Amino acid sequence: MTKRVPVYVISGFLGSGKTTVLLHMLNHFKNQGMKPGIILNELGDENVEDHLFQGEKVVELLNGCICCTIQEDLKSTLDQYLGEKVDVLIIEGTGVANPLEIKDVLLTPFYMENFELLSMISLVDASHYLEYQSFFSSSKEIRGLLKEQVTSAHLLVLNKMDLVSEKEFIKVESKLADELEDHVPVYRTSYGEVPLEILLEKRMQMREMGEDGRADGARKHDHSHGGHHHHHHHIEAVKVAFSEPVNRIVLEKQLKKLSKQVVRAKGIVRINETPGLFEFQYAASTLVLNRIEKKVDVRPSIILIGKEIDEKKVEKFCEALRGE
């Protein structure tokens, strides 16, 4: 298996300090002699911060946000990086991009073969957070997007603390506590200053399993670029190699059995009633299958996304798919 390119995703609302954090990471990688790649997503026809990235390998996605009109462009941009020798990739979404959509692309079988998502870093502007949450000064869309940016975070950076009073800070923390999972760390700062060991820690865990649903020790990946390893992570993605044809009805039934731990599943499978490869998506107890018409060089696999997924249950899941 080829070495996968580690990926960091930086998201946050307009003016939250994303570019400051990106430049901090970029300088570190360059000082380490690494070759970073950058994907910038801007809404306008021109990236006004272009001068900050002179001499860097930057691909810009303009006139749209990753979450809607140019998600396909994100895929084709990642395809460009397959032929490039980069040591690490940083994706910065616009202030109006939904990071869950970026994550969704990275956690597909083909891109998981080539890229390894290490962390979703979300920035929040502490001085405007309550205003964005207000029914009177923001729209439902803005409140929903801000929630997605917070709930998708593996690390939340609460920036611009110098502009917030103690009373306002207590309100902000209370609001964030309602949205965040208990295990997600919050780093409070001003001017986007976050220590590198915190920014670069690997926070997205991935397990790979063989055809039998058991962990394939030889293919576990746990490299990171600096930072400390803490063992409090929730497993968020389990990739199961599965080349045998499956029964569509059995697949849906068995995914439903995992629903307490698995919130989402996707992958590429063979169906026993029809030749060829099928891409599938599973969410809200519903399975959707689509035939892959074009020829793709990817091994059939099933990706389970959730928290603390039980290995024994994955084994039983695989046994049921094989009709054992």
Side-chain angles (χ1 to χ4, degrees):
M1 187 173 180
T2 56
K3 185 183 176 185
R4 296 184 292 173
V5 177
V7 181
Y8 293 92
V9 176
I10 303 174
S11 70
F13 226 57
L14 302 160
S16 59
K18 297 186 300 298
T19 303
T20 302
V21 169
L22 189 155
L23 288 169
H24 186 35
M25 294 170 74
L26 187 63
N27 288 334
H28 166 76
F29 292 134
K30 286 167 66 179
N31 289 337
Q32 295 292 310
M34 297 169 68
K35 184 180 178 184
I38 308 164
I39 298 177
L40 293 180
N41 176 214
E42 292 297 328
L43 275 175
D45 292 314
E46 184 179 350
N47 177 12
V48 294
E49 295 177 329
D50 194 43
H51 63 284
L52 297 173
F53 303 100
Q54 291 294 323
E56 301 302 330
K57 166 66 178 173
V58 179
V59 178
E60 296 174 351
L61 308 179
L62 298 169
N63 268 330
C65 61
I66 289 173
C67 64
C68 47
T69 52
I70 59 172
Q71 194 176 25
E72 288 305 311
D73 283 0
L74 174 61
K75 292 178 182 178
S76 60
T77 303
L78 289 170
D79 292 345
Q80 288 181 43
Y81 276 108
L82 294 177
E84 284 280 334
K85 175 66 181 75
V86 293
D87 299 307
V88 62
L89 181 62
I90 310 171
I91 301 175
E92 182 196 324
T94 64
V96 295
N98 183 339
L100 292 175
E101 300 292 339
I102 304 172
K103 183 178 179 181
D104 201 45
V105 172
L106 290 167
L107 293 183
T108 54
F110 178 73
Y111 293 110
M112 284 178 77
E113 291 270 323
N114 298 281
F115 299 95
E116 181 181 18
L117 175 59
L118 295 190
S119 184
M120 305 275 292
I121 302 164
S122 291
L123 280 91
V124 166
D125 175 354
S127 66
H128 284 96
Y129 182 69
L130 295 176
E131 177 189 336
Y132 292 145
Q133 289 284 345
S134 167
F135 285 90
F136 304 104
S137 56
S138 70
S139 67
K140 180 182 177 183
E141 289 74 23
I142 286 177
R143 291 193 299 275
L145 186 59
L146 191 60
K147 181 177 180 178
E148 297 286 9
Q149 291 178 344
V150 169
T151 56
S152 68
H154 296 128
L155 167 69
L156 189 100
V157 177
L158 193 55
N159 197 22
K160 304 194 178 182
M161 289 295 296
D162 55 312
L163 304 177
V164 180
S165 67
E166 184 67 27
K167 185 179 176 182
E168 191 177 3
F169 168 62
I170 291 169
K171 288 182 180 177
V172 170
E173 283 236 306
S174 176
K175 279 272 189 186
L176 284 172
D178 293 337
E179 308 283 3
L180 279 174
E181 297 279 352
D182 291 340
H183 65 281
V184 176
V186 178
Y187 189 85
R188 303 165 190 86
T189 189
S190 300
Y191 312 107
E193 294 174 354
V194 186
L196 282 163
E197 65 266 21
I198 289 174
L199 283 176
L200 301 182
E201 182 173 335
K202 177 179 177 178
R203 300 178 188 275
M204 174 77 189
Q205 297 301 98
M206 243 291 291
R207 275 186 295 178
E208 296 203 27
M209 297 185 172
E211 298 273 345
D212 57 0
R214 292 178 184 160
D216 186 348
R219 290 169 59 193
K220 281 185 179 177
H221 297 266
D222 193 29
H223 61 262
S224 90
H225 302 272
H228 305 288
H229 289 275
H230 299 210
H231 299 287
H232 57 257
H233 305 290
H234 291 252
I235 297 296
E236 290 196 307
V238 174
K239 182 180 178 184
V240 185
F242 207 91
S243 57
E244 293 182 41
V246 301
N247 181 284
R248 180 174 51 86
I249 295 168
V250 172
L251 176 60
E252 185 166 17
K253 181 181 175 182
Q254 293 305 315
L255 285 168
K256 283 179 180 176
K257 283 190 176 181
L258 289 174
S259 60
K260 285 188 178 177
Q261 294 177 310
V262 174
V263 294
R264 186 111 194 264
K266 58 171 70 175
I268 293 174
V269 292
R270 300 183 195 280
I271 300 294
N272 55 15
E273 59 207 64
T274 315
L277 290 174
F278 287 78
E279 183 176 20
F280 81 87
Q281 299 275 347
Y282 175 81
S285 298
T286 304
L287 178 70
V288 178
L289 281 156
N290 290 300
R291 180 191 288 278
I292 300 174
E293 300 295 348
K294 61 183 181 182
K295 188 175 181 182
V296 290
D297 183 23
V298 61
R299 288 171 290 184
S301 59
I302 296 168
I303 297 158
L304 306 172
I305 301 166
K307 288 180 184 161
E308 299 174 324
I309 298 169
D310 189 296
E311 199 167 299
K312 293 288 183 190
K313 289 186 178 178
V314 177
E315 279 183 45
K316 288 182 179 178
F317 170 77
C318 292
E319 286 170 6
L321 291 188
R322 287 195 299 268
E324 295 176 2

